[in-house]
Amino acid sequence: MLPNKKKEIRSIVGMLVLLIFLILVNVYHQNLSVYWTSFLIIGGSLLFIGVIYKIIKVIKEY
């Protein structure tokens, strides 16, 4: 594997870990206030879009 591809894969794994951490923190709080719900929706969707973008970028590049 090329070093650049390893960096891209580590970046994808890191973003997935952040997404899982974000979901677990919200489940642990069990707080369905507007702030936490919007934080989960906005943060989760941005991370998810980032992961999808990186995966597509890696597939097209290699």
Side-chain angles (χ1 to χ4, degrees):
M1 272 204 296
L2 298 169
N4 194 24
K5 188 174 181 182
K6 285 184 181 179
K7 286 181 187 177
E8 295 286 336
I9 290 173
R10 271 189 266 152
S11 172
I12 292 169
V13 170
M15 285 194 292
L16 286 173
V17 167
L18 280 175
L19 183 63
I20 290 169
F21 178 74
L22 179 70
I23 292 170
L24 288 177
V25 166
N26 279 282
V27 167
Y28 175 74
H29 276 275
Q30 292 181 351
N31 190 355
L32 298 177
S33 67
V34 175
Y35 173 75
W36 284 107
T37 306
S38 63
F39 181 68
L40 176 65
I41 291 170
I42 293 170
S45 61
L46 286 175
L47 278 171
F48 187 71
I49 290 169
V51 167
I52 297 299
Y53 172 76
K54 285 275 191 181
I55 290 172
I56 291 172
K57 184 177 169 186
V58 167
I59 290 173
K60 280 186 176 181
E61 222 172 85
Y62 300 104

